[in-house]
Structure formats: C-alpha cells, structure tokens
Amino acid sequence: MAFALAVVLVAPVAVTAAASAAGPLTVAQALAAQDGRSAAVTGYVIGQPTSATTVLRSGFTADTAIAIADTAAETGASRMLYVQVTAAYRSTFGLLTNPGLRGQRITATGTLTAYFSHGGLKNPTAMTLGGTTPSPSQSPTPVPTGTPAPGGDYDSTYYANAIGKSGTALRSSLHSIIKVQTKLSYDQVWEALKDTDQDPANTNNVILLNTGRSQSKSSNGGGVNDWNREHVWAKSHGDFGTATGPGTDVHHLRPEDVSVNSTRGNKDFDTGGSPVAEAPGCYTDADSWEPRNAVKGDVARMLMYMAIRYEGTDGWPNLELNQSVNNGSAPYHGKMSVLLQWNQADPPDTFEKRRNQRIYERWQGNRNPFVDHPEWATAIWG
C-alpha cells in the first residue's frame, strides 16, 4: 500500500493512464466499488430509477437518471447501477426524451457513489453509446469480450471445460456451462424475439420460423395473422407452461404465425404428411411436424439445447430426446434420429449464429452449444 501511495503522490498522470488502459468496469464491479473513485462503466440501459428498489421500464417520467446492468434482461434492481444524467447529457441519454435507449449498451464515466441510496455513478464527465465490453466480473453470467465470431472463438473461454470430451462427459460439462443464465419473464420474451429474430433486410420486422415470412415487429398478438411465441420444445412435453424457466427460454422460442403455431400444436418432429398451406415447405400429419428445409437444423439444435440445459436438477423436468412421435405430456421430444439428420443437412447459417450471439450478449448470457459446435450432437447422441 505504501508503494501504491507513493506512485499516486509522485506520478498521478501515470496512475490515470493505467486506470484508463484497464478499460471500463462491469456494473457488478462498479457496485462493489462505491468509494468515490472516478471510473468508466459499461452496461445495458434497463430503465429509469425512481427509488432504491423501483426502475421504470416504460412510461418514463424524467431525463435525470438511468439504470444500467450487465445484461439487457436484468430484473433485479440490486444488480443495477443508477447513473445520474446531468443537463449536458439529457438530450441524448434521458429516457423521457429517448425511450428507444432502453436495451442499448452505453459507457458512462463519473464518480462511483450512492444515488437514491443505491449503488450509483454521479456527476458524469462522459457518456457514450456502445463502448468496449468490460472485463468479466465475478458474476456467474459470462460476459464476452468484444463480439467475436460465434463458435470456436469461445473454445478457450466459455467452452473450456467441454473441449476434448464426448458422450456423457461432454453432456455433463455442457449442462454445467449453459445452465448459468439470466431468466426472462414471458412478457420479456416479446422484446427479446424482436431483437433475436430481426429480419436482416428490414429492422422493423421479424422472420417467422415456419412460414419464413418477414412481418412487422409490432404485429405480435393473438389475431389470425399476428405472430406469437412458439415453443419449439412444446411446453406440454414436460408440462412446464410459460412460467419463468424452460417456458421462457429464448433459445427455443421463435416468432410464428398464430394459426401456423396452432396447427403445429405440440406435435413431435418427423418427415412426411400433408403440405401446410400457410407454411410452404412444411408438412404435418396426426402426430408429427416437418419444418421447411431452411430451418430443419435450427429446430434440431433448439431441441438439443433444451435436452442438455434442463436435466431435472433445478425444479424443472428432465427433458430428453427420444424416438417417439407420440410423447404427449411426457418430458420427451422426438424423433431423435431425424433431428440428427436435420442437424447435419442444415448447418448453422448467419441468421442462426447471430441469434445465438444476441441471446448470449443481450438477454440470457448463455449459448446454444450446438450452434457453435454442431458436431457435438453426434458426439453425445451418436
């Protein structure tokens, strides 16, 4: 400590440079360092804080403060940093004036001290959109550095404990990795899907899973031609409904035409049947559904994710793949041999990889390992 003090007294410029070189803090780090120091913090805008325990996510009333967190889906105020927005920054960072700021990543530099009797950052000297992702904190939710290409770039970090394994050892390692996640409410799923399934050619639209149709994000609901939230792993297969957990896990929820979603129902997956008029390329019979070719692999990998993520250890059913197309309410989904074929025939495309990345970065903090490593399906299920 004496040496560090000497450095501060003799060469304050050098200390400032070193702090700057270290990069911005995570929100978790900033909350643990409420000691009056000046620091830059990067996080996602959650809403407008109005008390130590209340953060508005809509109906904003002022431009004077924002709450940020390490993930865009954070719901606990205790894990948010309250950032004062002074007059110089209100036209750009006040939520009353800029409600679209919610969900975006920002970097704010200021004094780490309580605001609203809550962990905060006051008197900002800089506020910018985006910024370099901070170093990972001790939070269990993994925070990626930058935006590397999905897949192998995570082998030495996120997937480090799984590399080189196969069979039950690989399955166990992947479960331990991906079970660490932020859990969403069913209402939050609407906003997540508008981001994860955004049409790359039209940012106002989403792409529907089985129809392939590009449709306005705002046309979600229960009307005949609206889109709603399809559970690719049918929620009746394990009877988990829409409660927070497998029923709200965005890795298997996709936008879908309301009537097509109803036609698919809770059917297992297999080939054959009659053409589905509203979903060209899809087929169905009494007990199975065949999706269009472009998303066959997507469907397979979503089901594989669910089978590895939910192993019956956290209060939810142990979800498993099997060879049946008559699973009903059992916590099983099939047909496994067909899903393995689809995984190979339709490898991950740019849309699916982007989706995996957005869920990891902005919503749940976990990844679908079969999008990053499709070969792991064979390594586990043969």
Side-chain angles (χ1 to χ4, degrees):
M1 292 298 295
F3 175 77
L5 179 61
V7 173
V8 171
L9 292 174
V10 175
V13 174
V15 171
T16 301
S20 174
L25 301 177
T26 64
V27 168
Q29 290 168 335
L31 289 170
Q34 295 287 295
D35 54 9
R37 75 180 74 176
S38 178
V41 183
T42 293
Y44 292 96
V45 178
I46 304 299
Q48 175 198 343
T50 56
S51 75
T53 58
T54 305
V55 175
L56 299 179
R57 290 170 172 76
S58 61
F60 305 117
T61 61
D63 286 327
T64 53
I66 56 176
I68 65 174
D70 284 327
T71 64
E74 183 58 70
T75 58
S78 64
R79 294 182 291 276
M80 300 178 193
L81 184 74
Y82 289 3
V83 178
Q84 181 183 30
V85 182
T86 51
Y89 299 103
R90 287 172 190 165
S91 63
T92 304
F93 292 94
L95 281 169
L96 177 60
T97 302
N98 307 278
L101 186 67
R102 185 174 180 272
Q104 295 194 48
R105 191 171 68 175
I106 72 160
T107 298
T109 303
T111 303
L112 297 182
T113 187
Y115 188 57
F116 275 133
S117 300
H118 181 99
L121 183 151
K122 296 178 68 174
N123 303 314
T125 57
M127 296 184 75
T128 59
L129 287 171
T132 303
T133 303
S135 300
S137 69
Q138 297 304 307
S139 167
T141 300
V143 180
T145 302
T147 308
D153 284 359
Y154 288 102
D155 286 0
S156 62
T157 53
Y158 188 67
Y159 293 122
N161 291 333
I163 299 302
K165 296 178 180 178
S166 62
T168 55
L170 176 59
R171 179 177 189 138
S172 177
S173 294
L174 290 178
H175 171 69
S176 296
I177 293 167
I178 66 177
K179 72 178 182 180
V180 180
Q181 70 181 99
T182 297
K183 298 178 178 63
L184 308 183
S185 70
Y186 201 43
D187 282 342
Q188 286 176 310
V189 168
W190 286 122
E191 297 307 312
L193 294 181
K194 291 175 184 179
D195 174 32
T196 60
D197 290 73
Q198 179 175 286
D199 182 350
N202 184 346
T203 58
N204 294 316
N205 289 9
V206 291
I207 300 293
L208 307 190
L209 176 65
N210 283 298
T211 68
R213 187 170 73 234
S214 177
Q215 185 156 325
S216 171
K217 292 178 179 179
S218 63
S219 65
N220 59 304
V224 174
N225 290 313
D226 288 344
W227 64 268
N228 61 5
R229 298 156 291 188
E230 175 169 3
H231 292 77
V232 178
W233 184 292
K235 59 182 181 288
S236 66
H237 290 222
D239 197 26
F240 50 73
T242 59
T244 299
T248 64
D249 195 316
V250 185
H251 275 298
H252 86 113
L253 285 159
R254 299 290 290 264
E256 188 54 270
D257 177 270
V258 168
S259 54
V260 172
N261 194 353
S262 178
T263 301
R264 185 257 158 151
N266 69 345
K267 296 173 182 175
D268 289 277
F269 294 94
D270 199 356
T271 57
S274 301
V276 181
E278 287 188 273
C282 296
Y283 298 85
T284 190
D285 56 23
D287 54 18
S288 71
W289 180 271
E290 179 181 353
R292 59 193 176 98
N293 289 339
V295 296
K296 280 184 165 71
D298 305 51
V299 166
R301 288 181 283 274
M302 284 185 278
L303 296 186
M304 292 168 182
Y305 162 87
M306 294 292 282
I308 297 299
R309 166 60 186 88
Y310 297 98
E311 295 280 29
T313 59
D314 51 3
W316 298 108
N318 180 12
L319 305 183
E320 296 291 347
L321 299 177
N322 69 5
Q323 278 294 97
S324 175
V325 288
N326 291 287
N327 282 305
S329 62
Y332 307 120
H333 233 305
K335 192 173 183 180
M336 186 171 67
S337 60
V338 172
L339 296 173
L340 287 169
Q341 292 171 12
W342 290 353
N343 175 57
Q344 292 187 333
D346 174 37
D349 58 16
T350 300
F351 185 91
E352 189 181 1
K353 290 177 180 179
R354 176 195 176 275
R355 188 175 199 278
N356 195 29
Q357 190 71 16
R358 298 298 279 184
I359 294 173
Y360 177 56
E361 288 184 334
R362 298 197 63 182
W363 298 100
Q364 294 186 179
N366 69 340
R367 304 182 68 81
N368 182 336
F370 302 103
V371 176
D372 295 328
H373 285 280
E375 73 278 8
W376 279 345
T378 303
I380 292 174
W381 287 287

Coordinates of all heavy atoms in Angstrom, one line a residue, residues 199-261:
D199 N -35.4 -9.3 -38.9 CA -35.1 -9.5 -40.4 C -33.9 -8.7 -40.7 O -33.8 -7.5 -40.6 CB -36.3 -9.0 -41.2 CG -36.1 -9.3 -42.7 OD1 -35.0 -9.6 -43.1 OD2 -37.1 -9.1 -43.4
P200 N -32.8 -9.4 -41.2 CA -31.6 -8.6 -41.6 C -31.8 -7.6 -42.7 O -31.0 -6.7 -42.8 CB -30.6 -9.7 -42.0 CG -31.4 -10.9 -42.3 CD -32.6 -10.8 -41.4
A201 N -32.8 -7.8 -43.5 CA -33.1 -6.9 -44.6 C -34.1 -5.8 -44.2 O -34.3 -4.8 -45.0 CB -33.7 -7.7 -45.8
N202 N -34.7 -5.9 -43.0 CA -35.7 -4.9 -42.6 C -35.8 -4.9 -41.1 O -36.4 -5.8 -40.5 CB -37.1 -5.2 -43.2 CG -38.1 -4.1 -42.8 OD1 -37.9 -3.3 -42.0 ND2 -39.2 -4.1 -43.5
T203 N -35.1 -3.9 -40.4 CA -35.0 -3.9 -39.0 C -36.4 -3.7 -38.3 O -36.4 -3.8 -37.0 CB -34.0 -2.9 -38.5 OG1 -34.4 -1.6 -39.0 CG2 -32.6 -3.2 -39.0
N204 N -37.4 -3.4 -39.0 CA -38.7 -3.2 -38.4 C -39.5 -4.5 -38.3 O -40.6 -4.5 -37.7 CB -39.5 -2.2 -39.2 CG -39.0 -0.8 -39.2 OD1 -38.6 -0.3 -38.1 ND2 -38.9 -0.1 -40.3
N205 N -38.9 -5.6 -38.9 CA -39.6 -6.9 -39.0 C -38.9 -8.0 -38.3 O -37.7 -7.9 -38.0 CB -39.8 -7.3 -40.4 CG -40.8 -6.4 -41.2 OD1 -41.3 -5.4 -40.6 ND2 -41.2 -6.8 -42.4
V206 N -39.6 -9.1 -38.0 CA -39.0 -10.3 -37.6 C -39.3 -11.4 -38.7 O -40.2 -11.2 -39.5 CB -39.6 -10.8 -36.2 CG1 -39.1 -9.9 -35.1 CG2 -41.1 -10.9 -36.3
I207 N -38.5 -12.5 -38.7 CA -38.7 -13.6 -39.6 C -39.4 -14.7 -38.8 O -39.0 -15.1 -37.7 CB -37.4 -14.1 -40.1 CG1 -36.6 -13.1 -40.9 CG2 -37.6 -15.4 -41.0 CD1 -37.3 -12.6 -42.2
L208 N -40.6 -15.1 -39.3 CA -41.3 -16.2 -38.7 C -40.7 -17.6 -39.0 O -40.3 -17.8 -40.1 CB -42.8 -16.1 -39.1 CG -43.5 -14.8 -39.0 CD1 -45.0 -14.9 -39.2 CD2 -43.2 -14.1 -37.6
L209 N -40.7 -18.4 -38.0 CA -39.9 -19.7 -38.1 C -40.4 -20.6 -39.2 O -39.6 -20.9 -40.1 CB -40.0 -20.4 -36.8 CG -39.3 -21.8 -36.8 CD1 -37.8 -21.7 -36.9 CD2 -39.7 -22.6 -35.5
N210 N -41.6 -21.0 -39.2 CA -42.1 -22.0 -40.2 C -42.6 -21.4 -41.5 O -42.4 -22.0 -42.5 CB -43.2 -22.8 -39.6 CG -42.7 -23.9 -38.6 OD1 -41.9 -24.8 -39.0 ND2 -43.1 -23.8 -37.3
T211 N -43.1 -20.2 -41.5 CA -43.6 -19.6 -42.8 C -42.4 -18.9 -43.5 O -42.5 -18.8 -44.7 CB -44.7 -18.6 -42.5 OG1 -44.1 -17.4 -41.8 CG2 -45.8 -19.2 -41.7
G212 N -41.4 -18.5 -42.7 CA -40.3 -17.7 -43.3 C -40.7 -16.3 -43.7 O -39.9 -15.6 -44.3
R213 N -41.9 -15.9 -43.3 CA -42.4 -14.6 -43.7 C -41.8 -13.5 -42.8 O -41.5 -13.7 -41.6 CB -43.9 -14.6 -43.4 CG -44.6 -13.3 -43.9 CD -46.1 -13.5 -43.9 NE -46.7 -13.5 -42.6 CZ -47.5 -14.4 -42.0 NH1 -47.8 -15.5 -42.8 NH2 -48.0 -14.3 -40.8
S214 N -41.5 -12.4 -43.5 CA -41.0 -11.2 -42.8 C -42.2 -10.4 -42.4 O -43.0 -10.0 -43.2 CB -40.1 -10.4 -43.7 OG -39.6 -9.2 -43.0
Q215 N -42.3 -10.1 -41.1 CA -43.5 -9.5 -40.6 C -43.2 -8.4 -39.5 O -42.2 -8.5 -38.8 CB -44.5 -10.5 -39.9 CG -45.8 -10.0 -39.5 CD -46.9 -11.0 -39.4 OE1 -46.9 -12.0 -40.2 NE2 -47.8 -10.9 -38.5
S216 N -44.0 -7.3 -39.5 CA -43.7 -6.2 -38.6 C -43.6 -6.7 -37.2 O -44.4 -7.5 -36.7 CB -44.9 -5.2 -38.7 OG -44.8 -4.2 -37.7
K217 N -42.6 -6.1 -36.5 CA -42.4 -6.5 -35.1 C -43.7 -6.1 -34.2 O -44.0 -6.7 -33.2 CB -41.2 -5.7 -34.5 CG -39.9 -6.2 -35.1 CD -38.8 -5.4 -34.5 CE -37.4 -5.8 -35.0 NZ -36.3 -5.0 -34.5
S218 N -44.4 -5.0 -34.7 CA -45.5 -4.5 -33.9 C -46.8 -5.4 -34.1 O -47.8 -5.1 -33.4 CB -45.8 -3.1 -34.2 OG -46.1 -2.9 -35.6
S219 N -46.8 -6.3 -35.0 CA -48.0 -7.1 -35.3 C -48.0 -8.4 -34.4 O -48.6 -9.4 -34.9 CB -48.1 -7.5 -36.8 OG -47.0 -8.3 -37.2
N220 N -47.4 -8.4 -33.3 CA -47.5 -9.5 -32.4 C -48.7 -9.5 -31.6 O -49.3 -8.4 -31.2 CB -46.3 -9.5 -31.4 CG -46.2 -8.3 -30.6 OD1 -46.1 -7.2 -31.1 ND2 -46.1 -8.4 -29.3
G221 N -49.3 -10.6 -31.3 CA -50.5 -10.7 -30.6 C -51.3 -12.0 -30.8 O -50.6 -13.0 -31.1
G222 N -52.6 -12.0 -30.7 CA -53.4 -13.2 -30.9 C -54.3 -13.2 -32.1 O -55.1 -14.2 -32.2
G223 N -54.2 -12.2 -32.9 CA -55.1 -12.2 -34.1 C -54.7 -13.2 -35.1 O -53.6 -13.8 -35.1
V224 N -55.6 -13.5 -36.1 CA -55.3 -14.5 -37.1 C -54.0 -14.4 -37.8 O -53.3 -15.4 -38.0 CB -56.5 -14.6 -38.1 CG1 -56.2 -15.6 -39.2 CG2 -57.8 -14.9 -37.4
N225 N -53.7 -13.2 -38.2 CA -52.4 -13.0 -39.0 C -51.3 -12.4 -38.2 O -50.3 -11.9 -38.7 CB -52.7 -12.2 -40.3 CG -53.5 -13.0 -41.3 OD1 -53.2 -14.2 -41.5 ND2 -54.6 -12.4 -41.8
D226 N -51.5 -12.3 -36.9 CA -50.4 -11.8 -36.0 C -49.4 -12.9 -35.8 O -49.5 -14.0 -36.3 CB -51.0 -11.5 -34.6 CG -51.9 -10.2 -34.6 OD1 -51.8 -9.5 -35.5 OD2 -52.6 -10.1 -33.6
W227 N -48.3 -12.5 -35.2 CA -47.3 -13.5 -34.8 C -47.3 -13.6 -33.3 O -47.5 -12.7 -32.6 CB -45.9 -13.2 -35.4 CG -45.2 -12.0 -34.8 CD1 -45.3 -10.7 -35.4 CD2 -44.3 -11.9 -33.7 NE1 -44.5 -9.8 -34.7 CE2 -43.9 -10.5 -33.6 CE3 -43.9 -12.7 -32.7 CZ2 -43.0 -10.0 -32.6 CZ3 -43.0 -12.3 -31.8 CH2 -42.6 -10.9 -31.7
N228 N -47.0 -14.8 -32.8 CA -46.9 -15.1 -31.4 C -45.6 -15.9 -31.1 O -44.8 -16.1 -31.9 CB -48.1 -15.7 -30.8 CG -48.5 -17.0 -31.4 OD1 -47.7 -17.6 -32.2 ND2 -49.6 -17.6 -31.1
R229 N -45.5 -16.4 -29.8 CA -44.3 -17.0 -29.4 C -44.5 -18.6 -29.4 O -45.2 -19.1 -28.6 CB -44.0 -16.6 -27.9 CG -43.8 -15.1 -27.8 CD -44.1 -14.6 -26.4 NE -45.5 -14.6 -26.1 CZ -46.1 -14.1 -25.0 NH1 -45.3 -13.5 -24.0 NH2 -47.4 -14.2 -24.8
E230 N -43.8 -19.2 -30.4 CA -43.9 -20.6 -30.5 C -42.8 -21.3 -29.6 O -41.6 -21.0 -29.7 CB -43.7 -21.1 -31.9 CG -43.6 -22.6 -32.0 CD -43.7 -23.2 -33.4 OE1 -43.8 -22.4 -34.4 OE2 -43.7 -24.4 -33.6
H231 N -43.3 -22.3 -28.8 CA -42.3 -23.1 -28.1 C -41.9 -24.3 -29.0 O -42.7 -25.2 -29.3 CB -43.0 -23.7 -26.8 CG -43.3 -22.6 -25.8 ND1 -44.4 -21.8 -25.9 CD2 -42.7 -22.3 -24.6 CE1 -44.4 -21.0 -24.8 NE2 -43.4 -21.3 -24.1
V232 N -40.7 -24.2 -29.5 CA -40.2 -25.3 -30.4 C -40.2 -26.6 -29.6 O -40.7 -27.7 -30.1 CB -38.9 -25.0 -31.0 CG1 -38.4 -26.1 -31.8 CG2 -39.0 -23.7 -31.8
W233 N -39.7 -26.6 -28.4 CA -39.9 -27.8 -27.5 C -41.3 -27.5 -26.9 O -41.5 -26.7 -26.0 CB -38.9 -27.8 -26.4 CG -39.0 -29.1 -25.5 CD1 -40.1 -29.4 -24.7 CD2 -38.2 -30.2 -25.5 NE1 -39.9 -30.6 -24.1 CE2 -38.7 -31.1 -24.6 CE3 -37.0 -30.5 -26.1 CZ2 -38.1 -32.4 -24.3 CZ3 -36.4 -31.7 -25.8 CH2 -36.9 -32.7 -24.9
A234 N -42.3 -28.2 -27.4 CA -43.7 -28.0 -27.0 C -43.8 -28.0 -25.5 O -43.4 -28.9 -24.8 CB -44.6 -29.0 -27.6
K235 N -44.4 -26.9 -24.9 CA -44.5 -26.7 -23.5 C -45.2 -27.8 -22.8 O -45.0 -28.0 -21.6 CB -45.0 -25.3 -23.1 CG -46.4 -25.0 -23.6 CD -46.8 -23.6 -23.2 CE -48.2 -23.2 -23.7 NZ -48.2 -23.0 -25.1
S236 N -46.1 -28.5 -23.5 CA -46.8 -29.6 -22.8 C -45.9 -30.9 -22.7 O -46.3 -31.7 -21.9 CB -48.1 -30.0 -23.7 OG -47.7 -30.5 -24.9
H237 N -44.8 -30.9 -23.4 CA -43.9 -32.0 -23.2 C -43.0 -31.8 -22.0 O -41.9 -31.4 -22.1 CB -43.0 -32.1 -24.5 CG -43.7 -32.6 -25.7 ND1 -43.2 -33.5 -26.6 CD2 -44.9 -32.3 -26.2 CE1 -44.0 -33.8 -27.6 NE2 -45.1 -33.0 -27.4
G238 N -43.6 -32.1 -20.9 CA -43.0 -31.8 -19.6 C -43.9 -30.9 -18.7 O -43.6 -30.6 -17.6
D239 N -44.9 -30.3 -19.4 CA -45.9 -29.5 -18.7 C -45.3 -28.4 -17.9 O -45.6 -28.1 -16.8 CB -46.7 -30.4 -17.7 CG -48.0 -29.8 -17.2 OD1 -48.5 -28.9 -18.0 OD2 -48.5 -30.1 -16.1
F240 N -44.4 -27.6 -18.6 CA -43.7 -26.5 -17.9 C -44.4 -25.2 -18.2 O -44.0 -24.1 -17.6 CB -42.2 -26.4 -18.2 CG -41.8 -26.5 -19.6 CD1 -42.1 -25.5 -20.5 CD2 -41.2 -27.7 -20.1 CE1 -41.7 -25.5 -21.8 CE2 -40.9 -27.8 -21.5 CZ -41.1 -26.7 -22.3
G241 N -45.3 -25.2 -19.1 CA -46.1 -24.0 -19.4 C -45.3 -22.8 -19.8 O -44.3 -22.9 -20.5
T242 N -45.7 -21.6 -19.3 CA -44.9 -20.4 -19.7 C -44.3 -19.7 -18.5 O -44.0 -18.5 -18.5 CB -45.9 -19.3 -20.4 OG1 -47.0 -19.0 -19.5 CG2 -46.5 -19.9 -21.6
A243 N -44.2 -20.5 -17.4 CA -43.5 -20.0 -16.2 C -42.0 -19.7 -16.5 O -41.4 -20.4 -17.3 CB -43.7 -20.9 -15.0
T244 N -41.5 -18.8 -15.7 CA -40.0 -18.5 -15.9 C -39.2 -19.7 -15.8 O -39.3 -20.4 -14.8 CB -39.6 -17.4 -14.9 OG1 -40.4 -16.2 -15.1 CG2 -38.1 -17.1 -15.1
G245 N -38.4 -20.0 -16.8 CA -37.6 -21.3 -16.8 C -37.6 -21.8 -18.2 O -37.5 -21.0 -19.2
P246 N -37.9 -23.1 -18.4 CA -37.9 -23.6 -19.8 C -39.0 -23.0 -20.7 O -38.9 -22.9 -21.9 CB -38.1 -25.1 -19.6 CG -38.7 -25.3 -18.2 CD -38.0 -24.1 -17.4
G247 N -40.1 -22.5 -20.0 CA -41.2 -21.9 -20.7 C -40.9 -20.5 -21.3 O -41.6 -20.0 -22.1
T248 N -39.8 -19.9 -20.8 CA -39.4 -18.6 -21.3 C -38.0 -18.5 -21.8 O -37.4 -17.5 -22.0 CB -39.5 -17.6 -20.1 OG1 -38.6 -17.9 -19.1 CG2 -40.9 -17.5 -19.6
D249 N -37.4 -19.7 -22.1 CA -36.0 -19.8 -22.6 C -36.0 -19.4 -24.1 O -36.5 -20.2 -24.9 CB -35.4 -21.2 -22.3 CG -33.9 -21.2 -22.5 OD1 -33.4 -20.6 -23.4 OD2 -33.3 -21.9 -21.6
V250 N -35.4 -18.3 -24.4 CA -35.5 -17.8 -25.8 C -34.7 -18.7 -26.7 O -34.9 -18.6 -28.0 CB -35.0 -16.3 -25.9 CG1 -35.1 -15.8 -27.3 CG2 -35.7 -15.5 -24.9
H251 N -33.8 -19.6 -26.2 CA -33.1 -20.4 -27.1 C -34.0 -21.4 -27.9 O -33.6 -22.0 -28.9 CB -32.0 -21.2 -26.4 CG -30.7 -20.5 -26.2 ND1 -30.0 -20.1 -27.3 CD2 -30.1 -20.1 -25.1 CE1 -28.9 -19.5 -26.8 NE2 -28.9 -19.4 -25.5
H252 N -35.3 -21.6 -27.4 CA -36.2 -22.5 -28.2 C -37.5 -21.7 -28.5 O -38.5 -22.4 -28.9 CB -36.5 -23.8 -27.4 CG -37.6 -23.7 -26.4 ND1 -38.8 -24.4 -26.5 CD2 -37.6 -23.0 -25.2 CE1 -39.5 -24.2 -25.5 NE2 -38.9 -23.3 -24.7
L253 N -37.6 -20.5 -28.2 CA -38.8 -19.7 -28.5 C -38.6 -18.9 -29.8 O -37.5 -18.3 -30.0 CB -39.2 -18.8 -27.4 CG -39.8 -19.5 -26.2 CD1 -39.7 -18.6 -24.9 CD2 -41.3 -19.7 -26.5
R254 N -39.5 -19.0 -30.7 CA -39.4 -18.3 -32.0 C -40.7 -17.6 -32.4 O -41.8 -18.0 -32.1 CB -39.0 -19.3 -33.1 CG -37.7 -20.0 -32.9 CD -36.5 -19.1 -33.0 NE -36.2 -18.7 -34.4 CZ -35.4 -19.3 -35.2 NH1 -34.7 -20.4 -34.8 NH2 -35.2 -18.8 -36.4
P255 N -40.6 -16.5 -33.2 CA -41.8 -15.9 -33.7 C -42.5 -16.8 -34.7 O -41.8 -17.4 -35.5 CB -41.3 -14.6 -34.4 CG -39.9 -14.4 -33.9 CD -39.4 -15.7 -33.6
E256 N -43.8 -16.9 -34.6 CA -44.6 -17.7 -35.6 C -46.0 -17.2 -35.8 O -46.6 -16.5 -34.9 CB -44.7 -19.2 -35.0 CG -45.2 -20.1 -36.0 CD -44.5 -20.1 -37.3 OE1 -44.8 -19.3 -38.2 OE2 -43.5 -20.9 -37.5
D257 N -46.4 -17.4 -37.0 CA -47.8 -17.0 -37.4 C -48.8 -17.8 -36.4 O -48.6 -18.9 -36.1 CB -48.1 -17.5 -38.8 CG -49.5 -17.2 -39.2 OD1 -50.4 -18.1 -39.0 OD2 -49.8 -16.1 -39.7
V258 N -49.7 -17.0 -35.9 CA -50.6 -17.6 -34.9 C -51.3 -18.9 -35.3 O -51.3 -19.9 -34.6 CB -51.7 -16.5 -34.5 CG1 -52.8 -17.2 -33.6 CG2 -51.0 -15.4 -33.7
S259 N -51.9 -18.9 -36.5 CA -52.6 -20.1 -36.9 C -51.7 -21.2 -37.3 O -52.0 -22.4 -37.0 CB -53.5 -19.8 -38.1 OG -52.8 -19.2 -39.2
V260 N -50.5 -20.9 -37.8 CA -49.5 -22.0 -38.0 C -49.0 -22.6 -36.7 O -48.8 -23.8 -36.6 CB -48.3 -21.4 -38.9 CG1 -47.2 -22.5 -39.0 CG2 -48.7 -21.0 -40.2
N261 N -48.8 -21.7 -35.7 CA -48.4 -22.2 -34.4 C -49.5 -23.2 -33.9 O -49.2 -24.2 -33.3 CB -48.3 -21.0 -33.5 CG -47.5 -21.4 -32.2 OD1 -47.3 -22.5 -31.9 ND2 -47.2 -20.4 -31.4

